């Protein structure tokens, strides 16, 4: 895949941080090279501490790479922008705004008139299955519903890519699985390019067209796995195909998780 056809290019990106009081540097991620195609659903999976949040901060334009570069539609990312929608583990909804007004938030920043904002917000409320909940405040919604609002809010300003940082990690297993289905449906409907970060192997296999397996710190791409499974059946997660992919990714991650745990214990 060449740089010109990629929606999002992460080109040989490394990030180091100074270790306070030592004069030394910690390499959080090293030589990460990922090209995400337009409309692709790419999942990053890696052990704790491998630099997933560091990479997301770089993609969000909150920090800059120590080496390498990040391009969106061929243009270097130079700061935060509405061309990237970010959905976090914690819903980050404004508690004093209703679901509809939370979704309208990004549209206000874009300067859209009130009527248009409302129409767009209602469209995305419908897309995430919350048409009847427009007037509810976040504390009146379940965790799964709040995350649906967060997804709707990110989609409403029509970003070029959707960056998702363990968005379902705080939800119970059943809600998580139903939101995974919803997300696949939304992805098919909107054709958005999605980069999804997770610890979960099942989640990675279920959602990703392609899964990038990361190493323990410093985070590097160990390998890419193309996931080609039939998700149209009743219980995809129990299929033989699914189990084979899960085992393959588990095998790739297993050693990395052990290495990460040893490092944590040794505080290195
Ligand atoms: N601002 C910073 N200054 C110094 N070190 C940092 C900074 N941010 C992250 N690190 C270090 O970089 C490494 C990667 O951290 P990061 O939070 O990106 O990992 P992660 O994969 O998101 O972790 P987790 O899965 O546990 O959330 C860690 O060792 C962390 O301590």
């Amino acid at each position: 895949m060449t740089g010109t056809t990629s929606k999002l290019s992460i080109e040989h990106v490394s990030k180091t941080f100074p270790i306070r009081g030592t004069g030394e540097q910690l390499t959080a991620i090293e030589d990460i090279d990922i090209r995400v195609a337009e409309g692709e659903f790419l999942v990053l999976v890696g052990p704790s501490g491998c630099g997933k949040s560091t990479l997301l901060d770089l993609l969000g334009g909150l920090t800059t790479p120590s080496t390498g570069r990040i391009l969106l539609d061929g243009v270097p990312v130079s700061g935060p922008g509405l061309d990237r929608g970010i959905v976090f583990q914690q819903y980050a909804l404004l508690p004093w705004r209703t679901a509809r007004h939370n979704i309208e938030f990004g549209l206000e920043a874009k300067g859209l008139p009130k009527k248009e904002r409302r129409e767009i917000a209602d469209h995305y409320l419908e897309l995430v299955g919350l048409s009847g909940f427009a007037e509810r405040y976040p504390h009146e919604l379940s965790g799964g519903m709040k995350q649906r609002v967060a997804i709707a809010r990110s989609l409403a300003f029509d970003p070029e890519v959707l960056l998702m940082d363990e968005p379902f990690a705080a939800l119970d297993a059943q809600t998580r699985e139903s939101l995974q289905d919803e997300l696949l449906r939304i992805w098919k409907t909107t054709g958005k390019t999605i980069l999804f970060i997770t610890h979960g192997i099942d989640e990675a296999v279920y959602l990703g067209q392609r899964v990038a397996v990361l190493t323990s710190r410093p985070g590097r791409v160990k390998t890419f796995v193309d996931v080609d499974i039939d998700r149209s059946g009743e219980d995809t997660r129990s299929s033989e195909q699914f189990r084979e992919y899960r085992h393959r990714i588990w095998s790739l991650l297993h050693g990395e998780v052990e290495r990460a745990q040893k490092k944590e214990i040794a505080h290195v």
Side-chain angles (χ1 to χ4, degrees):
M1 202 183 296
T2 65
T4 49
T5 57
S6 304
K7 188 75 185 169
L8 181 67
S9 300
I10 303 167
E11 296 185 355
H12 302 288
V13 167
S14 300
K15 180 73 181 174
T16 54
F17 295 107
I19 305 176
R20 210 165 353 116
T22 66
E24 288 172 22
Q25 300 277 325
L26 177 144
T27 305
I29 56 173
E30 190 172 66
D31 198 28
I32 297 235
D33 200 61
I34 300 175
R35 313 297 150 102
V36 190
E38 169 112 54
E40 184 178 1
F41 198 134
L42 177 83
V43 177
L44 294 181
V45 66
S48 175
C50 73
K52 298 186 290 294
S53 307
T54 300
L55 185 60
L56 197 89
D57 285 351
L58 291 166
L59 292 167
L62 304 176
T63 52
T64 51
S66 304
T67 58
R69 57 183 196 159
I70 295 174
L71 308 175
L72 181 59
D73 284 323
V75 179
V77 165
S78 59
L82 292 176
D83 49 6
R84 282 146 290 151
I86 307 186
V87 181
F88 298 100
Q89 181 176 336
Q90 290 306 329
Y91 325 110
L93 299 179
L94 301 172
W96 59 89
R97 283 178 164 239
T98 61
R100 179 188 281 129
H101 285 134
N102 262 286
I103 298 170
E104 285 188 28
F105 186 66
L107 305 172
E108 288 167 21
K110 267 192 164 176
L112 289 185
K114 194 168 189 259
K115 184 167 174 286
E116 205 175 322
R117 287 201 312 256
R118 188 180 172 119
E119 277 168 13
I120 295 173
D122 286 352
H123 168 74
Y124 284 99
L125 273 168
E126 193 182 335
L127 184 73
V128 299
L130 285 181
S131 286
F133 297 86
E135 301 299 334
R136 295 265 187 110
Y137 286 89
H139 74 270
E140 298 172 311
L141 299 170
S142 69
M145 286 171 163
K146 280 189 254 204
Q147 202 55 302
R148 283 169 196 260
V149 176
I151 293 169
R153 183 182 53 186
S154 294
L155 287 170
F157 56 83
D158 200 21
E160 295 299 328
V161 292
L162 198 55
L163 307 171
M164 307 189 82
D165 186 12
E166 306 205 38
F168 307 146
L171 305 173
D172 65 83
Q174 266 170 337
T175 309
R176 187 181 314 133
E177 288 189 3
S178 81
L179 275 189
Q180 288 166 354
D181 285 331
E182 285 289 298
L183 182 61
L184 283 178
R185 185 183 57 76
I186 291 166
W187 170 62
K188 283 179 194 145
T189 312
T190 60
K192 284 286 165 209
T193 307
I194 299 182
L195 190 149
F196 188 106
I197 297 178
T198 183
H199 277 113
I201 299 174
D202 280 39
E203 184 161 74
V205 174
Y206 195 68
L207 293 176
Q209 280 185 304
R210 195 159 63 112
V211 175
V213 180
L214 302 182
T215 64
S216 63
R217 203 186 77 222
R220 280 173 278 112
V221 177
K222 186 166 183 153
T223 191
F224 289 100
V225 177
D226 288 314
V227 181
D228 183 16
I229 51 174
D230 175 13
R231 296 180 177 90
S232 62
E234 269 281 281
D235 187 7
T236 306
R237 293 176 185 81
S238 304
S239 73
E240 188 58 34
Q241 260 183 332
F242 188 89
R243 284 206 300 259
E244 277 168 16
Y245 278 111
R246 180 169 52 197
H247 182 70
R248 192 157 141 209
I249 293 176
W250 179 86
S251 307
L252 287 162
L253 267 178
H254 187 61
E256 299 303 327
V257 173
E258 276 186 353
R259 284 212 302 143
Q261 282 166 350
K262 279 188 193 140
K263 272 190 183 170
E264 250 173 44
I265 291 165
H267 298 292
V268 290

